[in-house]
Every structure is written in C-alpha cells, then in structure tokens.
C-alpha cells in the first residue's frame, strides 16, 4: 500500500498548472487590470485595482479557476454606483454576469478566462465596511506566509475537499471556503499533517495561524470548528461550515489514512458496493418551478423549506431519515428518504382520566363502538385504538403544498412557485422522472456515505 506522502506526490503532479495555462490567466488578468485602470482614470475615481483570491495566492486548481480582481475604492465611493459600474464599463464588449453576494459584483469572460470583479473599500485593518474589504489583507498575509511548497500543499487540500463534496462556502454547500483551506493547510504545514490532525479534532476545535488574543471559544459558542482569521481574529473562517460537511471531511480523512490512494481525489469512489435500489420505494419528492433569483437567496429558501416540510412529515408520523435538494435550469427538487411512505395504520386516541366519571363513561361508550381496544394507561388516562387505512406520504405532502408557509414554515419566496407548480412524486416515480434537479437531489442524498 502506498503511504499518504507517496499518494500526495502523485496528486501534486496532476495539480501543478502548466506554464501555458498560467500565461493565459496572467495575460487575461493583466488585460482586465489595464481596462479597469483606464475606466477609473477616465472617471476620476479614487481607486486601486488588486488581484486577490487563489490566483494571487498561487493556490488555484488547473482547469478550474476564476480570477478574483478587486476594485479597492475610497471610503467615500459607492460600491455599486462607482465600483460595479466601472467593472461593467471595462467589460462592455465581453460576456458579463452580475452576481449577488453581500454586495453585487461582476463576472466577465476574457479570452476564455472568467474574471470576478469585486468592488470593496480601502480601509484600515479592523475598520471593515463591506465583507470583501478583508480580501486585500488576506492576499497580503498569504503572500508573506506561503512558499511554493505550501502553495502545492494547499492545492492538494482543495482538490481533496472538492472531490469529497465539501469545498465551497456558498449556502448550497456550506463547506470549506478557499481561504479556509489555505489557512488550514498553513496552520498544519502540509495536507497530510492537516488530515492527521483533523481525525483527532473535537467539537469546537480551535485552529489558528496567529494566536488569538481573546477567548474565541466564548465568541463562537456553537461553532463545530473555529479558525480565527489572521487579519481579523474575531471572525471565524469556518462560520459557514455545516456540521455535516465538517463531519464528512473528517470521515474522508479517516478513509484516506486507512487506505491512502489517489481515488480519494477523484470524487466519491465508495469502498462498498451499495445497492441503493433498496431505497427506491422509500423516496418522496417535491418538484417545483425554480423562481429566478440569486443563488444564495434561492438556496437559503430551499433549505428552510426542506427543513419545514421534513418536520411536518415527522409530526404526521413519518420517519424522515434524510433529505436533500437539487436544482437545474428550470426546476428545483426536494427529496426525502422515509422509513416508509405509508405509516400510522394504528391510530391512538387519548381520553379523560379514569376518575372523571361522566367523561369516562361517555368516552368508553363512544369508543367501544369504533375501536379495537379501549384501556387505561399507566398515566391513569383512557386510551382507545383504531386500525385504519395507513396515511400516505403523498397525500400528506400534497396537502402541505397547498399552503406551505402557513403549514410548514416554508420560505415565503418559494410559496407561489410551490403552490402553483408543485408536484409530489413517490417511490419509483422519483427515479423515473428524469429531471436534472431530481437527479442532483438524489445524488446529494446518497453522497457523503462513509
Ligand atoms: N473570501 C472570504 N470568505 C469567503 C469567500 C471569499 O474571505 N467565504 C475572500 C477571501 O479573501 C478570498 C477571496 O474572497 O481570498 C476570493 O474568494 P473565492 O474566489 O471564493 O476563493 P478562492 O480562495 O479564490 O478559491 P477558488 O480557487 O475556489 O476561487
Ligand atoms: Mg477565487
């Protein structure tokens, strides 16, 4: 069996960018920088253009890179009116998209390279105005701390996280951000040392590259992992990381150490032959038209809705074991894995205390007519039980879909779409429908298997 270090050496060979790709990115970036500087000058803006993110840090993955360029504005400027519009002007003749994070930013395709142009403010450390203001400081910090060896190690960490489905801090994933991967690798000095440490992490583990001067555990009480940002010790870089994605990463680290191989970098390979066909008749799904809105908003709403529906299904008596979601161009799907799509053919009714003479007598009289059993429980109350047709998950969910916000706490932003276009599928129908959103929800449901 290969050792972890031998495997890492092989992986590195695949992750080293070619000179040609590097040159292509560099040229596109330089071209964008001069375009931006030209617009800034012609508008008389007080602003500076800086390259940031993984391209500036030398931690990007070949074949999969967006260059991050920041327009660092004077604090008097407006991110949208000055920054975003300068970006759009510089990219006037290019394919562009406007995306929404905390603030809008632009993406432009230049010579086959996607460049993200993010406006932010030129502020002193700690005097942050927008969320992106820390980025130039991140770049300054990492340029000081990373050498060629650490850059390659970071690429290995990111490739591993990507393959395991835990990379990306967006709401859809709630995984590790690129910067978090960089800092974790730096903290332990190599990918393998990170992996060896991660398998021993406890709840609320604190990992740092600069010793924080304050009690970070008490600031981030419920965080499963705490990684203070070296340029802002109060910020937890792992704040957006879900317990599930952290746990999945730890399981993957266990697997890598017990059976080191390049397979762990190739997406889920699974040690076991799993017959998930067994689960086919335990699936329940809701499909609806995808409203057009920013991804971050949409995914926040999808998860909220999925949780609300799962809770109501549980209250109705179904055992929701797991759920997940997926989207495609036109639809969104939520898939539930249920212990059984039918339940509760025994209906229990709780009656009055046995000492309440009148209530007791009328309960017994009425229930003897329609119930199979009538008895007194250990708590002194009367009970009766009937056997009836089982509840069908399909009809319970169909009923919830009629007023999802009121009945299940679904997100308001999805209510109209769910009410007007929502369709409920059960069992084999879920697999046979052939919609992109359903298959990605199913894939996500089965992903992360140990
Ligand atoms: N950033 C951050 N926290 C996030 C996302 C982004 O602090 N959750 C900041 C960091 O300064 C990061 C920069 O934004 O360096 C660029 O972010 P992004 O492109 O998402 O990450 P990269 O590190 O560039 O990783 P990738 O290679 O996946 O683009
Ligand atoms: Mg990036």
């Amino acid at each position: 069996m290969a050792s972890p270090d031998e495997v890492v050496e092989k992986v590195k060979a695949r992750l080293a960018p070619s000179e040609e790709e590097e040159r292509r990115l560099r040229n596109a970036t330089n071209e964008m920088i001069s375009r931006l500087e030209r617009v800034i000058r012609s508008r008389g803006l007080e602003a500076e253009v800086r390259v940031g993110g993984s391209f500036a840090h030398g931690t990007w993955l070949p074949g999969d890179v967006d260059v991050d360029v920041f327009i660092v504005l004077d604090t008097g400027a407006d991110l949208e009116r000055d920054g975003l519009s300068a970006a759009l002007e510089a990219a006037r003749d290019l394919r562009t998209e406007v995306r929404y994070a905390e603030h809008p930013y632009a993406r432009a395709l230049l010579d086959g390279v996607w460049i993200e142009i993010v406006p932010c403010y030129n502020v002193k450390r700690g005097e942050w105005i927008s969320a992106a203001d820390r980025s130039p400081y991140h770049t300054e910090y990492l340029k000081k701390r990373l050498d060629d060896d650490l850059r390659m190690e970071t690429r290995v960490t990111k490739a591993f996280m990507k393959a395991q489905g835990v990379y990306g801090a967006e709401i859809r994933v709630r995984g590790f951000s690129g910067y978090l991967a960089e800092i974790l690798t730096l903290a332990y000095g190599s990918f393998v040392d990170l992996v060896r440490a991660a398998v021993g992490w406890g709840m609320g583990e604190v990992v740092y590259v600069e010793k924080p001067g304050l009690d970070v555990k008490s600031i981030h009480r419920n965080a499963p992992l705490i990684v203070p940002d070296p340029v802002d010790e109060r910020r937890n870089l792992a704040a957006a990381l879900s317990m599930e994605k952290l746990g999945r990463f730890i399981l993957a680290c266990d697997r890598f150490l017990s059976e080191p191989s390049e397979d762990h970098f190739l997406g889920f390979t699974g040690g076991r032959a799993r017959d998930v066909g067994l689960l086919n008749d335990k699936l329940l799904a809701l499909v609806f038209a995808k409203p057009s809105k920013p991804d971050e908003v949409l995914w926040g709403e999808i998860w909220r809705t999925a949780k609300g529906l799962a809770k109501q299904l549980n209250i109705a008596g179904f055992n929701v074991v797991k759920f997940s979601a997926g989207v495609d161009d036109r639809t969104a799907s939520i898939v539930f894995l249920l212990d059984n799509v039918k339940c509760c053919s025994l209906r229990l009714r709780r009656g009055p205390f046995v000492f309440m003479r009148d209530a007791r007598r009328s309960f017994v009289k009425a229930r003897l007519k329609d119930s199979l059993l009538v008895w007194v429980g250990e708590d002194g109350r009367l009970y009766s039980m009937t056997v009836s047709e089982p509840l069908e998950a399909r009809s319970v969910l169909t009923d919830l879909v009629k007023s999802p916000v009121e009945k299940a706490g679904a997100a308001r932003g999805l209510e109209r779409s769910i009410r007007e276009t929502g369709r409920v599928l059960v069992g084999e129908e879920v697999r046979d429908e052939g919609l992109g959103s359903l298959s990605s929800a199913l894939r996500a449901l089965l992903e992360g298997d140990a």
Side-chain angles (χ1 to χ4, degrees):
M1 197 163 64
S3 74
D5 292 304
E6 284 162 357
V7 171
V8 166
E9 285 316 305
K10 285 201 191 138
V11 171
K12 280 182 180 171
R14 280 197 290 114
L15 295 179
S18 71
E19 268 176 41
E20 200 240 294
E21 187 177 10
E22 179 121 36
R23 194 172 334 110
R24 202 166 55 86
L25 292 166
R26 174 88 41 214
N27 288 342
T29 306
N30 288 340
E31 158 78 13
M32 184 54 79
I33 293 173
S34 35
R35 281 167 173 244
L36 287 167
E37 285 175 342
R38 230 174 295 142
V39 174
I40 287 169
R41 228 175 304 124
S42 75
R43 292 190 177 191
L45 275 177
E46 284 299 326
E48 233 181 279
V49 182
R50 300 250 196 98
V51 184
S54 59
F55 186 63
H57 311 155
T59 56
W60 49 283
L61 295 181
D64 181 22
V65 59
D66 290 351
V67 174
D68 303 286
V69 172
F70 292 86
I71 304 181
V72 189
L73 295 157
D74 241 38
T75 51
D78 184 89
L79 290 183
E80 246 181 284
R81 210 183 48 238
D82 300 312
L84 184 68
S85 82
L88 292 173
E89 188 183 330
R92 215 175 23 200
D93 57 324
L94 306 174
R95 186 170 152 206
T96 54
E97 290 170 4
V98 174
R99 294 245 176 127
Y100 300 82
E102 187 199 310
H103 295 284
Y105 63 95
R107 277 162 60 80
L109 187 65
L110 204 163
D111 293 336
V113 179
W114 276 107
I115 302 183
E116 315 222 315
I117 309 164
V118 184
C120 69
Y121 288 114
N122 182 7
V123 293
K124 287 213 194 81
R125 203 190 254 242
E127 298 177 2
W128 322 115
I129 302 174
S130 87
D133 299 351
R134 295 180 187 83
S135 285
Y137 286 91
H138 294 158
T139 299
E140 183 186 290
Y141 181 81
L142 286 175
K143 278 191 164 165
K144 226 169 31 204
R145 296 289 315 269
L146 295 180
D147 54 20
D148 280 349
D149 180 51
L150 279 166
R151 280 192 264 276
M152 269 320 291
E153 292 289 336
T154 303
R155 288 188 161 111
V156 177
T157 301
K158 283 164 81 165
F160 181 78
M161 288 174 167
K162 242 181 202 171
Q164 300 299 331
V166 300
Y167 184 76
E170 18 349 333
I171 295 182
R172 178 176 62 83
V173 184
R174 300 221 290 145
F176 295 79
S177 72
Y179 184 54
L180 177 55
E182 290 167 331
I183 294 298
L184 285 173
T185 310
L186 178 60
Y188 292 104
S190 74
F191 168 71
V192 172
D193 287 311
L194 162 61
V195 167
R196 291 210 172 99
V199 297
W201 282 345
M203 180 66 192
E205 187 81 22
V206 179
V207 181
Y208 57 79
V209 286
E210 302 292 333
K211 195 171 170 51
L214 41 84
D215 181 9
V216 289
K217 263 186 167 309
S218 70
I219 310 179
H220 309 288
R221 273 188 194 288
N222 299 315
L225 175 67
I226 302 168
V227 184
D229 187 342
V231 312
D232 179 1
E233 60 181 8
R234 302 189 68 87
R235 175 169 181 241
N236 178 15
L237 295 178
L241 176 66
S242 70
M243 186 66 240
E244 193 259 327
K245 290 289 148 62
L246 170 60
R248 199 195 279 194
F249 174 69
I250 292 173
L251 288 181
C253 289
D254 268 337
R255 281 198 302 271
F256 176 75
L257 291 178
S258 68
E259 236 172 291
S261 93
E262 284 183 79
D263 292 351
H264 302 284
F265 293 84
L266 301 172
F268 180 72
T269 47
R272 296 180 289 139
R274 297 172 303 160
D275 184 7
V276 288
L278 278 177
L279 303 178
N280 276 0
D281 60 349
K282 300 178 182 304
L283 297 172
L284 173 72
L286 170 63
V287 183
F288 53 96
K290 185 178 86 169
S292 87
K293 55 179 84 190
D295 255 21
E296 288 295 282
V297 178
L298 177 68
W299 275 98
E301 292 179 347
I302 289 176
W303 287 131
R304 177 164 173 201
T305 301
K307 271 185 214 153
L309 293 172
K311 185 171 170 198
Q312 290 309 312
L313 287 163
N314 275 323
I315 289 173
F318 294 95
N319 182 10
V320 179
V321 177
K322 206 167 183 282
F323 61 82
S324 201
V327 299
D328 58 27
D329 289 350
R330 275 175 300 151
T331 64
S333 295
I334 299 171
V335 176
F336 304 92
L337 176 63
L338 306 180
D339 190 19
N340 206 313
V341 293
K342 292 181 184 184
C343 83
C344 318
S345 47
L346 298 188
R347 304 275 163 74
L348 189 67
R349 192 192 293 243
R350 193 167 77 151
F353 273 114
V354 71
F355 304 115
M356 301 165 75
R357 187 176 57 195
D358 293 346
R360 171 186 76 222
R361 285 179 178 163
S362 61
F363 183 84
V364 171
K365 194 166 164 215
R367 297 286 76 85
L368 279 179
K369 287 190 199 127
D370 63 11
S371 302
L372 200 62
L373 293 171
V374 178
W375 72 97
V376 179
E378 285 297 325
D379 58 357
R381 297 183 79 129
L382 285 157
Y383 286 87
S384 72
M385 190 196 76
T386 52
V387 179
S388 44
E389 280 301 299
L391 272 180
E392 309 256 354
R394 184 201 300 274
S395 50
V396 173
L397 185 55
T398 304
D399 187 54
L400 292 172
V401 161
K402 287 180 193 146
S403 44
V405 173
E406 190 195 331
K407 288 188 176 155
R412 278 191 191 286
L414 296 183
E415 170 149 62
R416 212 175 126 199
S417 172
I418 291 176
R419 282 168 78 148
E420 290 175 6
T421 70
R423 278 193 303 133
V424 174
L425 306 173
V426 181
E428 302 282 341
E429 295 167 10
V430 177
R431 290 212 168 233
D432 297 344
E433 180 70 19
L435 269 176
S437 65
L438 266 178
S439 36
S440 80
L442 275 171
R443 224 177 306 120
L445 189 81
L446 303 172
E447 238 177 36
D449 176 70

